[in-house]
């Protein structure tokens, strides 16, 4: 288990991998009693599916991704959609913080190899969230900068071009096979780490190292566990 060759960069998905992705909590809080208990789980499930769908079309700002997915989910379950509620959900994003242990693991790893973020956040939120991680990143690449969202292959092409590397010169870390590891594998990125947060199924055939504790990430690069 681990990587034999030191990469030029370790690239990270951010929301859901490093940052605790709390959009469901935000929607429950903002919608409040307007989201009946009997439809809440279904609403949140299909809202996630619609976010993915919205990300695969022409680029639109992330606040529109949030709004369009909430609008479509509301229609599906028979709720009234309110634009101001979608904006309120979007505006909670930069307040999100890291999962336990993330800041420590990133700082340990940064002593050995440069760290990069490639995120579906827009630029302003990406910068704020990266600051919340309290770790050194060489580059933060936002969807707004790329003009596309993951899982679009263009996102990974952009990342490789911006960093000036070939697919075998990076290790990509993500909690999402759907958004990250599938397109990364297609792009020829063989060295991948699945940070299993429990919200997606393990797709081991994609050829990644799977960890369930972020403290194990530096160990994959030969660093002793603290």
């Amino acid at each position: 288990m681990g990587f034999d060759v030191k990469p030029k960069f370790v690239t990270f998905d951010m929301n859901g991998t490093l940052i605790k992705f709390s959009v469901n909590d935000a929607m429950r809080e903002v919608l409040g009693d307007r989201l009946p208990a009997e439809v809440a789980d279904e609403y949140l499930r299909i809202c996630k599916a619609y976010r993915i769908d919205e990300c695969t079309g022409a680029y639109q700002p992330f606040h529109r991704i949030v709004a369009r997915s909430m609008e479509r989910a509301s229609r599906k379950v028979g709720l009234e959609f309110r634009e101001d509620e979608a904006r309120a959900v979007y505006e909670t994003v930069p307040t999100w913080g890291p999962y336990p242990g993330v800041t420590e693991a990133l700082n340990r790893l940064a002593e050995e190899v440069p760290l990069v973020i490639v995120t579906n956040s827009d630029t302003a939120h990406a910068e704020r969230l990266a600051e919340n991680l309290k770790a050194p990143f060489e580059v933060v690449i936002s969807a707004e900068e790329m003009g596309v969202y993951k899982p679009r292959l263009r996102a990974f092409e952009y990342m490789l071009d911006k960093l000036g590397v070939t697919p075998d010169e990076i290790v990509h870390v993500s909690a999402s096979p759907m958004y990250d590891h599938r397109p990364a594998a297609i792009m020829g990125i063989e060295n991948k780490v699945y940070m299993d947060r429990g919200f997606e199924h393990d797709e081991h055939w994609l050829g990644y190292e799977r960890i369930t504790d972020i403290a194990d990430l530096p160990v994959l690069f030969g660093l002793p566990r603290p």
Side-chain angles (χ1 to χ4, degrees), residues 15 21 23-24 27 43-60 62 64-70 72-73 120 148-153 175-180 182-183 199-201 203:
N15 295 332
F21 190 69
V23 69
N24 283 358
M27 285 192 284
Y43 175 87
L44 296 173
R45 183 189 70 81
I46 60 177
C47 202
K48 177 181 178 180
Y50 283 136
R51 278 198 306 277
I52 297 167
D53 191 55
E54 292 290 331
C55 283
T56 58
Y59 177 79
Q60 53 188 325
F62 190 65
R64 289 303 307 154
I65 297 281
V66 172
R68 284 285 296 138
S69 61
M70 289 178 66
R72 294 169 73 184
N120 277 358
V148 295
Y149 291 92
K150 298 176 294 177
R152 295 285 304 276
L153 297 181
S176 177
M178 184 184 306
Y179 276 102
D180 282 78
R182 291 180 198 170
F199 56 76
E200 287 191 27
H201 295 297
E203 299 184 14

Side-chain angles (χ1 to χ4, degrees), residues 6-221:
K6 183 177 177 180
K8 289 189 176 179
F9 298 97
V10 179
T11 58
F12 289 88
D13 169 64
M14 183 161 58
N15 295 332
T17 301
L18 305 176
I19 291 286
K20 190 174 189 302
F21 190 69
S22 303
V23 69
N24 283 358
D25 294 339
M27 285 192 284
R28 286 183 188 274
E29 183 175 343
V30 169
L31 292 173
D33 293 340
R34 289 210 325 108
L35 184 62
E38 61 269 20
V39 301
D41 287 349
E42 176 67 2
Y43 175 87
L44 296 173
R45 183 189 70 81
I46 60 177
C47 202
K48 177 181 178 180
Y50 283 136
R51 278 198 306 277
I52 297 167
D53 191 55
E54 292 290 331
C55 283
T56 58
Y59 177 79
Q60 53 188 325
F62 190 65
H63 71 87
R64 289 303 307 154
I65 297 281
V66 172
R68 284 285 296 138
S69 61
M70 289 178 66
E71 182 179 18
R72 294 169 73 184
S74 296
R75 189 182 310 127
K76 189 80 169 173
V77 302
L79 289 183
E80 176 196 1
F81 169 71
R82 298 178 183 174
E83 189 81 40
D84 62 320
E85 290 176 336
R87 174 59 72 163
V89 169
Y90 168 78
E91 288 176 352
T92 68
V93 173
T95 69
W96 299 344
Y99 285 100
V102 162
T103 296
E104 295 82 358
L106 291 175
N107 278 283
R108 291 193 72 231
L109 188 56
E111 296 175 5
E112 293 294 313
V113 63
L115 311 183
V116 172
I117 283 172
V118 54
T119 176
N120 277 358
S121 293
D122 54 25
T123 300
H125 281 185
E127 292 173 351
R128 287 278 301 281
L129 289 166
E131 289 174 3
N132 294 351
L133 291 169
K134 294 179 168 51
F137 291 95
E138 297 288 315
V139 183
V140 176
I141 303 171
S142 69
E144 182 180 353
E145 176 185 342
M146 296 186 291
V148 295
Y149 291 92
K150 298 176 294 177
R152 295 285 304 276
L153 297 181
R154 176 63 190 140
F156 288 86
E157 290 172 335
Y158 185 98
M159 177 186 74
L160 294 170
D161 289 345
K162 183 177 178 77
L163 298 178
V165 294
T166 57
D168 61 336
E169 291 177 325
I170 68 166
V171 174
H172 188 65
V173 183
S174 175
S176 177
M178 184 184 306
Y179 276 102
D180 282 78
H181 291 312
R182 291 180 198 170
I186 291 168
M187 291 301 300
I189 299 171
E190 294 186 4
N191 294 323
K192 302 179 290 296
V193 179
Y194 173 37
M195 178 61 248
D196 189 349
R197 297 285 184 195
F199 56 76
E200 287 191 27
H201 295 297
D202 184 6
E203 299 184 14
H204 56 86
W205 53 86
L206 292 172
Y208 44 59
E209 298 277 7
R210 174 181 170 272
I211 58 174
T212 57
D213 184 346
I214 195 68
D216 287 330
L217 182 61
V219 178
L220 293 176
F221 295 84

